[in-house]
Amino acid sequence: MVMKHYPPEFRAEAVALYRSRPGVTIKSVAQDLGVNHETLRNWIRLDDAQRTGTPAAVTASTPAPASPEDENAALRKRVRELEEERDILRKAARYFGGRDALVNRFQFVDDHQRHHGVKRLCQVIGIARSSYYHWKATAPDRDARAAHDADLAARIRVIHHESDGTYGVPRITAELHDTGHRVNHKRVARVMRGIGLAGLRLRRRHRTTVADHTAAKAPDLLERDFTAQTPNTRYVGDITYLPIADGTFLYLATVMDLCSRRLVGWAVADHMRVDLVLDALHAAQRTRGSLAGAIFHSDHGAQYGARAFADACHAAGVTRSMGAVGSSADNAAAESLNASFKRETLQGTQIWGSEREARLAVFGWEHRYNTRRRHSHIGQMSPIDYENTLVPTPATLTPAA
């Protein structure tokens, strides 16, 4: 047991022992006697002061300048510390190349704590030990979340593939909900970013509308209100071009119900004569059984202003409506439909390889659009599923094909 109070005789003999051994250090003598080396150093200073008659410069509570031997020992210790720090940082370099630098630091400490110790590693790479221990304690929860994310990523890949790579976060989230997998859309977005998936974005649309200024004009009965309370009451139509690899074009005319967003009629031809829009209108009649009492809204394209189209609408009991000349916003719903078709079938390319390829693309997409593709306007349901939820079902609707 170390003494706290030393008698004067012990102090004098300790000093005398040190003076009798030239070349030894204060520290070595203090260790032999079992006293603190700073205590022995102060006794020696007091003895020197008594011999010279000058006051002692240092008391027990004020450390004196270190001896050369102690300074050398301190320098050697510091060199060892710096060498260890350099070794730690060299090992840590490969951990800091990833995206989450803080997590990488925690992992580095965990991987090397047996050799260097947690305290030393945290000091060198600049993190709090408490943060590391919290990270360590929550590892099971993170592993569970990572497993859930991996499962979610697999489900997302399947849905994205089945949509031909067109679905983005909202539609994939809705698909997951319908299959019983409740997940927040923000988490879907995060996982999709992590696996490099995204929905298709709209490309700029080329103009296909050529107005006939001599044709009779119809009033604008919608005034940009592209909604309807029941099916088979309001329709919109438009024409879009389909570029073919040989430099030719096909043209697609569509008829869409504004209530359910269902595509009730369409036609494809290698021309833009009035027969194209007549074929689409007749297809809509076959789908619905009757269009009597409905409004059909279009742009001022020559086909929709033609006398033959006006006569066909009159015969079907359809009231025509037209937006302003040159205003795409007045027929935005129809234009959006055709733009979605081209975006989701071409998927970044500019043309179809052949007419047959383009016609098959129309056939496949239009049917999938009605039966499977989710639409944000109707609560992320497909148009036919949405119509099936309406009660009572309008008598004019025929069963889905």
Side-chain angles (χ1 to χ4, degrees):
M1 182 175 180
V2 178
M3 297 174 60
K4 294 184 179 180
H5 303 286
Y6 300 94
E9 295 82 4
F10 181 86
R11 297 180 187 181
E13 290 182 2
V15 172
L17 179 63
Y18 168 73
R19 296 190 187 285
S20 67
R21 296 181 179 178
V24 301
T25 64
I26 294 176
K27 188 173 182 179
S28 64
V29 173
Q31 288 176 343
D32 291 343
L33 296 175
V35 300
N36 185 279
H37 68 278
E38 289 298 332
T39 300
L40 178 58
R41 189 187 308 279
N42 286 339
W43 293 346
I44 295 170
R45 289 196 182 96
L46 289 172
D47 184 66
D48 289 340
Q50 290 174 356
R51 291 187 179 194
T52 59
T54 59
V58 181
T59 65
S61 60
T62 306
S67 65
E69 294 83 358
D70 290 341
E71 290 180 352
N72 289 337
L75 288 173
R76 287 193 295 270
K77 179 181 179 182
R78 182 56 181 159
V79 168
R80 289 193 299 270
E81 290 175 348
L82 291 173
E83 289 176 344
E84 181 186 39
E85 183 175 325
R86 181 188 61 185
D87 182 47
I88 291 172
L89 292 175
R90 184 183 295 118
K91 293 176 181 177
R94 67 185 183 89
Y95 283 77
F96 298 160
R99 183 171 55 186
D100 195 333
L102 183 59
V103 170
N104 291 341
R105 293 186 184 201
F106 291 151
Q107 189 62 58
F108 170 72
V109 173
D110 196 56
D111 291 345
H112 296 83
Q113 49 103 3
R114 289 180 177 271
H115 181 67
H116 297 285
V118 172
K119 181 179 180 180
R120 180 60 174 152
L121 290 170
C122 290
Q123 288 175 340
V124 172
I125 64 176
I127 61 174
R129 276 186 291 168
S130 59
S131 298
Y132 162 74
Y133 286 123
H134 174 75
W135 175 84
K136 185 76 171 175
T138 56
D141 292 338
R142 289 195 306 278
D143 291 342
R145 286 195 297 271
H148 293 160
D149 282 353
D151 176 70
L152 178 60
R155 294 171 184 264
I156 289 174
R157 285 192 177 96
V158 171
I159 296 171
H160 194 261
H161 176 73
E162 290 178 349
S163 73
D164 293 331
T166 62
Y167 275 13
V169 172
R171 291 191 174 98
I172 287 181
T173 303
E175 189 78 23
L176 289 167
H177 288 179
D178 278 3
T179 57
H181 194 81
R182 307 302 297 181
V183 60
N184 185 279
H185 71 281
K186 293 181 180 180
R187 185 180 177 197
V188 173
R190 174 175 58 80
V191 172
M192 288 184 68
R193 285 196 301 271
I195 59 179
L197 294 183
L200 289 179
R201 298 184 180 275
L202 183 63
R203 297 195 312 271
R204 187 174 180 179
R205 181 181 183 274
H206 292 269
R207 184 183 179 189
T208 57
T209 301
V210 179
D212 183 355
H213 298 286
T214 64
K217 304 297 188 292
D220 186 354
L221 302 179
L222 299 189
E223 296 181 343
R224 301 189 182 181
D225 178 13
F226 301 112
T227 62
Q229 298 302 313
T230 58
N232 202 27
T233 57
R234 285 182 161 195
Y235 293 95
V236 291
D238 192 23
I239 300 174
T240 189
Y241 75 102
L242 312 179
I244 310 302
D246 62 5
T248 60
F249 294 90
L250 292 179
Y251 300 92
L252 168 66
T254 55
V255 180
M256 183 179 70
D257 191 310
L258 286 177
C259 175
S260 62
R261 264 33 184 193
R262 181 177 177 179
L263 185 61
V264 296
W266 70 86
V268 178
D270 59 359
H271 59 80
M272 283 202 303
R273 296 189 296 271
V274 68
D275 290 345
L276 176 65
V277 295
L278 286 174
D279 289 343
L281 181 67
H282 294 153
Q285 283 183 286
R286 291 191 297 271
T287 299
R288 289 308 198 198
S290 173
L291 298 178
I295 294 174
F296 181 88
H297 183 82
S298 69
D299 56 28
H300 279 267
Q303 301 84 356
Y304 294 112
R307 184 65 190 175
F309 185 75
D311 291 344
C313 287
H314 178 74
V318 172
T319 302
R320 290 190 304 152
S321 171
M322 288 183 174
V325 176
S327 175
S328 61
D330 284 353
N331 200 28
E335 295 196 6
S336 176
L337 172 75
N338 288 336
S340 295
F341 158 70
K342 294 172 74 173
R343 180 178 70 248
E344 295 181 9
T345 52
L346 286 173
Q347 296 197 19
T349 61
Q350 301 298 319
I351 57 176
W352 280 276
S354 65
E355 286 192 9
R356 175 173 173 76
E357 182 181 330
R359 290 178 183 273
L360 289 176
V362 172
F363 177 81
W365 187 86
E366 308 290 8
H367 282 285
R368 186 171 66 83
Y369 171 89
N370 280 335
T371 60
R372 295 189 58 192
R373 185 184 180 277
R374 297 177 181 275
H375 203 297
S376 59
H377 180 79
I378 51 177
Q380 296 297 357
M381 299 176 67
S382 71
I384 288 180
D385 284 344
Y386 178 75
E387 286 189 356
N388 290 337
T389 66
L390 300 178
V391 179
T393 302
T396 57
L397 300 187
T398 60

